[in-house]
Amino acid sequence: MVALCSFCGSGPSFANLAPYVGLIANGIVLLNDGSLMVAYYSCGTRL
């Protein structure tokens, strides 16, 4: 068996620092504190 603790860092990992938990739907992200983040894409046209 290999001791895996020697390969682990002592600081927080990226998953602990990132506020994202997962995708709820297309463009909606659930954050760690229970809030939702929504992203919109808008493309204007000239008339």
Side-chain angles (χ1 to χ4, degrees):
M1 294 288 261
V2 177
L4 296 177
C5 292
S6 61
F7 297 106
C8 297
S10 60
S13 65
F14 177 74
N16 293 335
L17 297 174
Y20 313 115
V21 173
L23 287 172
I24 301 298
N26 190 13
I28 302 175
V29 178
L30 177 65
L31 301 178
N32 282 340
D33 60 355
S35 62
L36 298 174
M37 179 173 67
V38 179
Y40 294 102
Y41 176 76
S42 176
C43 180
T45 60
R46 285 193 261 174
L47 296 177

